[in-house]
Amino acid sequence: MQFQPTLARVPGTNCAAIINAETVPQPKAGHLGVRVKIVQTGQDCAGYRVAVRWKNLDTGVENGQSHTVDSNGVVNATDGVITGMGMGPGPGRVEAEIVATADLYPHHPELEQLSGRAWFTLNK
């Protein structure tokens, strides 16, 4: 399932990113992976984070996962796929969005953006 593209202003001089994403099947039922590909432009861009936030519309459970993005727009995840803790909404209808955030600890405030969304169903 393709997400709508996320358009974000990222840290640096005139830096911006187009974040494209698609779901990736996982071996465990009720889990998802999201492959992220970033096209970035600007000068002296700094790192940030990209997050997948989801909500199971049938159970109300919500969570997500984020990974760092380096100054070149490369996601710190194997093959660009975000998986792991927080990526198991369980079976049902799921709404998910891709969000760019600042890489500030302990909070990760959202950057200025238009977040991409997707809706899909995970089977048992």
Side-chain angles (χ1 to χ4, degrees):
M1 173 64 61
Q2 288 286 136
F3 283 73
Q4 300 163 332
T6 295
L7 309 173
R9 186 174 290 175
V10 299
T13 305
N14 297 319
C15 292
I18 300 171
I19 305 168
N20 292 298
E22 64 183 352
T23 58
V24 177
Q26 295 299 296
K28 189 171 182 181
H31 283 72
L32 73 136
V34 175
R35 178 173 287 117
V36 177
K37 294 181 182 175
I38 299 173
V39 177
Q40 186 170 288
T41 186
Q43 297 175 341
D44 302 319
C45 298
Y48 54 99
R49 296 185 77 81
V50 66
V52 178
R53 295 184 181 157
W54 54 261
K55 180 176 184 176
N56 185 315
L57 300 174
D58 295 328
T59 65
V61 174
E62 53 188 297
N63 204 337
Q65 178 83 10
S66 72
H67 283 271
T68 57
V69 177
D70 71 17
S71 60
N72 297 311
V74 178
V75 177
N76 182 19
T78 305
D79 295 329
V81 178
I82 297 174
T83 59
M85 278 181 53
M87 297 298 282
R93 296 173 302 130
V94 177
E95 176 182 53
E97 69 178 338
I98 304 297
V99 181
T101 68
D103 192 16
L104 301 172
Y105 183 81
H107 304 289
H108 303 291
E110 288 189 17
L111 299 173
E112 185 178 351
Q113 66 195 291
L114 296 172
S115 298
R117 294 182 182 267
W119 295 265
F120 48 89
T121 301
L122 293 176
N123 296 320
K124 293 182 180 181

